Short mmCIF file of all heavy atoms in Angstrom, two decimals:
data_model
loop_
_atom_site.label_atom_id
_atom_site.label_comp_id
_atom_site.label_asym_id
_atom_site.label_seq_id
_atom_site.Cartn_x
_atom_site.Cartn_y
_atom_site.Cartn_z
N VAL A 297 35.53 4.80 -36.20
CA VAL A 297 36.37 3.81 -35.51
C VAL A 297 37.69 3.60 -36.23
O VAL A 297 38.70 3.29 -35.59
CB VAL A 297 35.63 2.46 -35.35
CG1 VAL A 297 34.52 2.56 -34.35
CG2 VAL A 297 35.11 1.95 -36.69
N THR A 298 37.70 3.79 -37.53
CA THR A 298 38.94 3.60 -38.29
C THR A 298 39.97 4.67 -37.98
O THR A 298 41.16 4.51 -38.30
CB THR A 298 38.64 3.61 -39.81
OG1 THR A 298 37.93 4.81 -40.14
CG2 THR A 298 37.79 2.40 -40.18
N GLN A 299 39.56 5.77 -37.37
CA GLN A 299 40.49 6.86 -37.10
C GLN A 299 40.82 7.03 -35.62
O GLN A 299 41.62 7.89 -35.26
CB GLN A 299 39.92 8.18 -37.63
CG GLN A 299 39.79 8.24 -39.14
CD GLN A 299 39.61 9.65 -39.64
OE1 GLN A 299 40.26 10.58 -39.19
NE2 GLN A 299 38.67 9.83 -40.58
N ILE A 300 40.22 6.24 -34.76
CA ILE A 300 40.41 6.45 -33.33
C ILE A 300 41.86 6.27 -32.92
O ILE A 300 42.41 7.07 -32.14
CB ILE A 300 39.48 5.52 -32.51
CG1 ILE A 300 38.05 6.02 -32.63
CG2 ILE A 300 39.91 5.47 -31.06
CD1 ILE A 300 37.05 5.22 -31.86
N ASP A 301 42.52 5.25 -33.43
CA ASP A 301 43.93 5.04 -33.06
C ASP A 301 44.79 6.23 -33.46
O ASP A 301 45.69 6.64 -32.72
CB ASP A 301 44.46 3.76 -33.71
CG ASP A 301 43.90 2.50 -33.06
OD1 ASP A 301 43.39 2.61 -31.92
OD2 ASP A 301 43.94 1.43 -33.69
N ALA A 302 44.49 6.78 -34.63
CA ALA A 302 45.27 7.94 -35.09
C ALA A 302 45.01 9.15 -34.20
O ALA A 302 45.93 9.91 -33.86
CB ALA A 302 44.92 8.27 -36.54
N VAL A 303 43.77 9.34 -33.79
CA VAL A 303 43.43 10.47 -32.93
C VAL A 303 44.09 10.33 -31.57
O VAL A 303 44.59 11.30 -30.98
CB VAL A 303 41.90 10.60 -32.78
CG1 VAL A 303 41.55 11.68 -31.76
CG2 VAL A 303 41.25 10.94 -34.12
N LYS A 304 44.14 9.09 -31.06
CA LYS A 304 44.71 8.86 -29.73
C LYS A 304 46.21 9.16 -29.67
O LYS A 304 46.76 9.33 -28.59
CB LYS A 304 44.43 7.41 -29.30
CG LYS A 304 42.98 7.17 -28.92
CD LYS A 304 42.60 5.70 -28.92
CE LYS A 304 43.33 4.91 -27.87
NZ LYS A 304 42.86 3.51 -27.81
N LYS A 305 46.86 9.22 -30.81
CA LYS A 305 48.29 9.55 -30.83
C LYS A 305 48.56 11.01 -30.50
O LYS A 305 49.68 11.38 -30.19
CB LYS A 305 48.87 9.21 -32.20
CG LYS A 305 48.90 7.71 -32.51
CD LYS A 305 49.45 7.44 -33.90
CE LYS A 305 49.45 5.94 -34.20
NZ LYS A 305 49.94 5.66 -35.58
N HIS A 306 47.53 11.82 -30.57
CA HIS A 306 47.68 13.25 -30.26
C HIS A 306 47.48 13.43 -28.75
O HIS A 306 46.36 13.29 -28.24
CB HIS A 306 46.68 14.08 -31.06
CG HIS A 306 46.92 14.03 -32.54
ND1 HIS A 306 47.69 14.96 -33.20
CD2 HIS A 306 46.52 13.13 -33.48
CE1 HIS A 306 47.74 14.65 -34.49
NE2 HIS A 306 47.03 13.54 -34.69
N GLU A 307 48.53 13.74 -28.05
CA GLU A 307 48.50 13.77 -26.59
C GLU A 307 47.55 14.83 -26.03
O GLU A 307 47.13 14.73 -24.88
CB GLU A 307 49.91 13.99 -26.03
CG GLU A 307 50.86 12.82 -26.33
CD GLU A 307 52.22 13.01 -25.68
OE1 GLU A 307 52.43 14.09 -25.08
OE2 GLU A 307 53.04 12.09 -25.77
N ASN A 308 47.22 15.83 -26.83
CA ASN A 308 46.32 16.87 -26.32
C ASN A 308 44.86 16.48 -26.41
O ASN A 308 43.99 17.20 -25.90
CB ASN A 308 46.54 18.17 -27.11
CG ASN A 308 46.13 18.03 -28.58
OD1 ASN A 308 46.61 17.13 -29.26
ND2 ASN A 308 45.26 18.90 -29.05
N ILE A 309 44.55 15.34 -27.05
CA ILE A 309 43.15 14.96 -27.25
C ILE A 309 42.76 13.82 -26.31
O ILE A 309 43.42 12.78 -26.26
CB ILE A 309 42.88 14.55 -28.71
CG1 ILE A 309 43.16 15.74 -29.64
CG2 ILE A 309 41.44 14.07 -28.88
CD1 ILE A 309 43.01 15.42 -31.11
N ASN A 310 41.72 14.03 -25.57
CA ASN A 310 41.14 13.02 -24.70
C ASN A 310 40.07 12.27 -25.48
O ASN A 310 39.13 12.88 -26.00
CB ASN A 310 40.53 13.71 -23.47
CG ASN A 310 39.78 12.73 -22.58
OD1 ASN A 310 40.18 11.59 -22.42
ND2 ASN A 310 38.69 13.20 -21.98
N VAL A 311 40.23 10.96 -25.60
CA VAL A 311 39.25 10.13 -26.33
C VAL A 311 38.45 9.33 -25.32
O VAL A 311 39.00 8.57 -24.53
CB VAL A 311 39.95 9.18 -27.32
CG1 VAL A 311 38.91 8.32 -28.04
CG2 VAL A 311 40.76 9.98 -28.34
N ILE A 312 37.13 9.52 -25.34
CA ILE A 312 36.23 8.84 -24.41
C ILE A 312 35.48 7.76 -25.17
O ILE A 312 34.76 8.05 -26.12
CB ILE A 312 35.25 9.83 -23.77
CG1 ILE A 312 36.02 10.93 -23.03
CG2 ILE A 312 34.29 9.11 -22.83
CD1 ILE A 312 35.15 12.06 -22.55
N LEU A 313 35.67 6.52 -24.77
CA LEU A 313 35.09 5.38 -25.46
C LEU A 313 34.17 4.63 -24.50
O LEU A 313 34.61 4.19 -23.45
CB LEU A 313 36.18 4.42 -25.94
CG LEU A 313 37.37 5.05 -26.68
CD1 LEU A 313 38.43 4.01 -26.95
CD2 LEU A 313 36.90 5.70 -27.96
N ALA A 314 32.92 4.48 -24.86
CA ALA A 314 31.99 3.76 -23.99
C ALA A 314 30.74 3.37 -24.78
O ALA A 314 30.38 4.05 -25.73
CB ALA A 314 31.60 4.61 -22.79
N PRO A 315 30.07 2.29 -24.38
CA PRO A 315 28.79 1.96 -25.02
C PRO A 315 27.77 3.03 -24.67
O PRO A 315 27.82 3.63 -23.60
CB PRO A 315 28.42 0.62 -24.40
CG PRO A 315 29.11 0.63 -23.08
CD PRO A 315 30.40 1.37 -23.29
N GLY A 316 26.87 3.28 -25.57
CA GLY A 316 25.86 4.30 -25.31
C GLY A 316 24.46 3.77 -25.51
O GLY A 316 24.26 2.62 -25.91
N PRO A 317 23.46 4.61 -25.26
CA PRO A 317 22.07 4.19 -25.41
C PRO A 317 21.60 4.36 -26.85
O PRO A 317 20.59 5.00 -27.11
CB PRO A 317 21.33 5.12 -24.46
CG PRO A 317 22.11 6.39 -24.54
CD PRO A 317 23.55 5.97 -24.70
N GLN A 318 22.37 3.82 -27.79
CA GLN A 318 22.03 3.94 -29.20
C GLN A 318 21.95 2.57 -29.86
O GLN A 318 22.74 1.69 -29.53
CB GLN A 318 23.08 4.76 -29.97
CG GLN A 318 23.22 6.20 -29.55
CD GLN A 318 24.22 6.37 -28.44
OE1 GLN A 318 23.98 7.14 -27.53
NE2 GLN A 318 25.34 5.68 -28.49
N TYR A 319 21.02 2.43 -30.77
CA TYR A 319 21.03 1.22 -31.61
C TYR A 319 20.67 1.60 -33.04
O TYR A 319 19.90 2.51 -33.30
CB TYR A 319 20.11 0.13 -31.06
CG TYR A 319 18.62 0.38 -31.16
CD1 TYR A 319 17.92 0.06 -32.32
CD2 TYR A 319 17.91 0.87 -30.07
CE1 TYR A 319 16.55 0.26 -32.41
CE2 TYR A 319 16.53 1.07 -30.14
CZ TYR A 319 15.85 0.76 -31.31
OH TYR A 319 14.50 0.95 -31.40
N GLU A 320 21.27 0.88 -33.97
CA GLU A 320 21.07 1.13 -35.39
C GLU A 320 20.11 0.08 -35.95
O GLU A 320 20.06 -1.06 -35.47
CB GLU A 320 22.41 1.07 -36.13
CG GLU A 320 22.40 1.78 -37.47
CD GLU A 320 23.61 2.68 -37.63
OE1 GLU A 320 24.73 2.17 -37.71
OE2 GLU A 320 23.42 3.91 -37.66
N TYR A 321 19.39 0.48 -37.00
CA TYR A 321 18.38 -0.42 -37.56
C TYR A 321 18.12 -0.09 -39.03
O TYR A 321 18.46 0.99 -39.52
CB TYR A 321 17.06 -0.27 -36.78
CG TYR A 321 16.52 1.14 -36.78
CD1 TYR A 321 15.72 1.62 -37.81
CD2 TYR A 321 16.83 2.02 -35.73
CE1 TYR A 321 15.25 2.91 -37.82
CE2 TYR A 321 16.36 3.32 -35.72
CZ TYR A 321 15.57 3.76 -36.77
OH TYR A 321 15.10 5.07 -36.77
N VAL A 322 17.51 -1.05 -39.71
CA VAL A 322 16.93 -0.82 -41.03
C VAL A 322 15.43 -0.84 -40.83
O VAL A 322 14.87 -1.82 -40.32
CB VAL A 322 17.35 -1.91 -42.04
CG1 VAL A 322 16.59 -1.72 -43.35
CG2 VAL A 322 18.85 -1.88 -42.28
N GLN A 323 14.77 0.24 -41.22
CA GLN A 323 13.32 0.33 -41.05
C GLN A 323 12.62 0.19 -42.39
O GLN A 323 13.01 0.80 -43.39
CB GLN A 323 12.93 1.67 -40.41
CG GLN A 323 11.42 1.82 -40.19
CD GLN A 323 11.06 3.13 -39.52
OE1 GLN A 323 11.89 4.01 -39.34
NE2 GLN A 323 9.81 3.26 -39.12
N PHE A 324 11.57 -0.62 -42.40
CA PHE A 324 10.76 -0.82 -43.60
C PHE A 324 9.57 0.14 -43.61
O PHE A 324 9.04 0.49 -42.55
CB PHE A 324 10.23 -2.25 -43.66
CG PHE A 324 11.28 -3.31 -43.55
CD1 PHE A 324 11.28 -4.23 -42.51
CD2 PHE A 324 12.30 -3.39 -44.49
CE1 PHE A 324 12.25 -5.21 -42.41
CE2 PHE A 324 13.27 -4.37 -44.40
CZ PHE A 324 13.25 -5.28 -43.35
N ASN A 325 9.14 0.54 -44.77
CA ASN A 325 7.93 1.35 -44.88
C ASN A 325 6.83 0.49 -45.50
O ASN A 325 7.05 -0.17 -46.51
CB ASN A 325 8.17 2.59 -45.74
CG ASN A 325 7.16 3.69 -45.46
OD1 ASN A 325 5.96 3.47 -45.54
ND2 ASN A 325 7.65 4.88 -45.13
N PHE A 326 5.66 0.51 -44.87
CA PHE A 326 4.57 -0.36 -45.29
C PHE A 326 3.50 0.38 -46.09
O PHE A 326 2.49 -0.21 -46.47
CB PHE A 326 3.93 -1.02 -44.07
CG PHE A 326 4.87 -1.92 -43.31
CD1 PHE A 326 5.68 -1.43 -42.29
CD2 PHE A 326 4.98 -3.26 -43.65
CE1 PHE A 326 6.56 -2.26 -41.62
CE2 PHE A 326 5.86 -4.10 -42.98
CZ PHE A 326 6.66 -3.60 -41.96
N LYS A 327 3.72 1.68 -46.34
CA LYS A 327 2.73 2.48 -47.04
C LYS A 327 3.06 2.49 -48.54
O LYS A 327 4.10 2.99 -48.95
CB LYS A 327 2.71 3.90 -46.48
CG LYS A 327 1.49 4.71 -46.85
CD LYS A 327 1.45 6.00 -46.05
CE LYS A 327 0.15 6.75 -46.29
NZ LYS A 327 0.08 7.99 -45.47
#
Side-chain angles (χ1 to χ4, degrees):
V297 289
T298 54
Q299 294 196 43
I300 288 181
D301 287 342
V303 173
K304 287 162 65 175
K305 292 178 181 178
H306 295 267
E307 294 184 356
N308 66 306
I309 298 177
N310 174 36
V311 179
I312 301 171
L313 312 174
Q318 296 89 221
Y319 71 85
E320 201 133 67
Y321 58 86
V322 174
Q323 181 178 8
F324 306 119
N325 202 305
F326 297 89
K327 196 170 186 178

